[in-house]
Structures are given as structure tokens and as C-alpha cells.
Amino acid sequence: VIAVALTSVAYIATFQNASIAAPQITGTAATGGLPSSAAVAGTALAAAVLASLMASRDRRIGIMAGIAVAIAGSLLTLLAIPAWSFPLLLAAALLIGFGNAAIALSRYAAADLYPAHARAGAVGIVVWGSTVGAVAGPNLVGPANAAAASLDLPRFFGGFAMSVAFLVVAMAVATFGPRAPSSSPTTEGQAAPVAPTALSRLVRDLLAEARGRTAVAALVSGQLVMVLI
């Protein structure tokens, strides 16, 4: 929950900052949504990559990898702003999307710790942790940018630097935080291991069922409304 909250602050703060910076870099308001779009693309790519990594290694490795790539992307924003480079900003956004994927996948790490009847609550608590970012992130960008301006740093630099700091702390929490017990009664009700399945096969199987199609439609429409607002 702590790692999710910290990563969420960084992710949301980055895209509040980037949505304002992008039109000023390019001179057109039409580019304001492109950093967020790049981040969503990065999240989609990362979801498959990190899930495969988690399947072959473990959940923690996948979460750490996602946050590490997001740190690299966040550092890239610190180069994009002084250079006033929109392509660099988009590349950074793509990489930061890996952090968002790590947030999403961490809820399954939480679910692994509990028996079937308690998993929904565990997932909900981790998702609730991400709302910390929704509240704190936007409210911290202004003061961070103001602090950077007082040091004669480039405009928007402070908000991006703040995101780097939050991601580094999130990485420390994910790396050094307590580990799940090796043996636990919560394994009751967990699914038996299955052989790896190709992503294309998983998509076909999901869309073949009415409830799978309903779930996808709900997620797509919900995401659309959220991003539009």
C-alpha cells in the first residue's frame, strides 16, 4: 500500500505537470493529452512484460522492475524540460507508464497473501492506496514548481523532480519492505499453478465469454470517461 501510494503520487503529479508543459513546449493546446496517452501505451506494454516477469520470478521482482523503469522515465523529464523537448517528454511518459503498471499489478501481489474469501478486500485496500496519489499529487505540483523557481531552475522542473524523489522512495519500500511469509495458511483456496499461456490465447479466451467481454467494455468505458474528465 505504501509503495502504491508513493508511486501514485509521482505518476499523477507527472501528468498534471506534463499536461500543462506540453502545450507550452509545442505552442498548441492539442498536445496537452499526448503525454497521458503515451503513459497509457507504456502501461499497456508494461502490463504484459511485468506480468510475464512475475510469472517466471515473483511479484516483488515485477513491481521493482516497473518502478525502476518509471524512475528512468522520470529522470528523462528532468532532461526534457531544460531542453524544452516534446519528443523527450513523450518518451519519458512512455517509461513512466511502467510505474503505473506496477501499481496495477501490485494488487494481485496483495491478493496472493489472502485466502479466496478475503482477496477482494485486500485488492480494495491496495487500490485505495492509489487514491493517495490522486489527492496528494496534484496538490504538491504547485509548491514543488514554486520551490524550483525560487532556485532559478527551469519552469515545471520542481514537479518532475518531486516525482523522481517519490519514485525512489517507492523503490526502497518495494525492495526492502517486509517479505511475505514462506508458509502461510492463506494459501488455502489459491489456484494451482498452470503452464504459461500465450497472450493472444488469453485474449481470445477472455473475449469468448460474455462476462469477459462485459469486463473489458466496463474497463474501457470507465477509462475513457476518467481520461476525458
Side-chain angles (χ1 to χ4, degrees):
V1 171
I2 293 171
V4 164
L6 292 167
T7 305
S8 179
V9 170
Y11 179 80
I12 294 174
T14 293
F15 291 104
Q16 178 181 340
N17 217 21
S19 68
I20 301 170
Q24 298 199 25
I25 292 172
T26 61
T28 171
T31 58
L34 291 181
S36 180
S37 297
V40 171
T43 299
L45 171 64
V49 173
L50 297 181
S52 295
L53 183 59
M54 287 179 174
S56 62
R57 301 289 297 278
D58 61 39
R59 298 286 195 195
R60 183 187 294 257
I61 294 296
I63 292 169
M64 290 166 55
I67 297 175
V69 174
I71 290 173
S74 202
L75 289 171
L76 195 57
T77 63
L78 301 184
L79 298 177
I81 290 303
W84 216 234
S85 170
F86 186 60
L88 273 182
L89 190 62
L90 288 183
L94 183 76
L95 296 178
I96 293 169
F98 276 69
N100 193 39
I103 289 175
L105 291 169
S106 66
R107 63 194 68 174
Y108 304 110
D112 286 345
L113 300 175
Y114 292 88
H117 71 272
R119 284 182 197 149
V123 170
I125 291 170
V126 175
V127 172
W128 178 87
S130 67
T131 65
V132 173
V135 175
N139 284 289
L140 292 174
V141 170
N145 282 336
S150 70
L151 298 174
D152 293 326
L153 292 170
R155 192 174 184 193
F156 305 112
F157 192 90
F160 291 129
M162 178 195 73
S163 295
V164 173
F166 272 93
L167 286 170
V168 168
V169 178
M171 184 65 164
V173 171
T175 303
F176 301 111
R179 296 184 178 268
S182 56
S183 60
S184 169
T186 61
T187 55
E188 177 190 351
Q190 289 186 355
V194 296
T197 305
L199 181 60
S200 58
R201 168 73 181 277
L202 291 173
V203 172
R204 285 199 306 272
D205 290 349
L206 175 67
L207 296 181
E209 293 195 40
R211 61 182 178 177
R213 295 191 295 272
T214 300
V216 171
L219 287 168
V220 170
S221 58
Q223 179 77 8
L224 175 65
V225 171
M226 181 181 71
V227 173
L228 283 173
I229 291 173

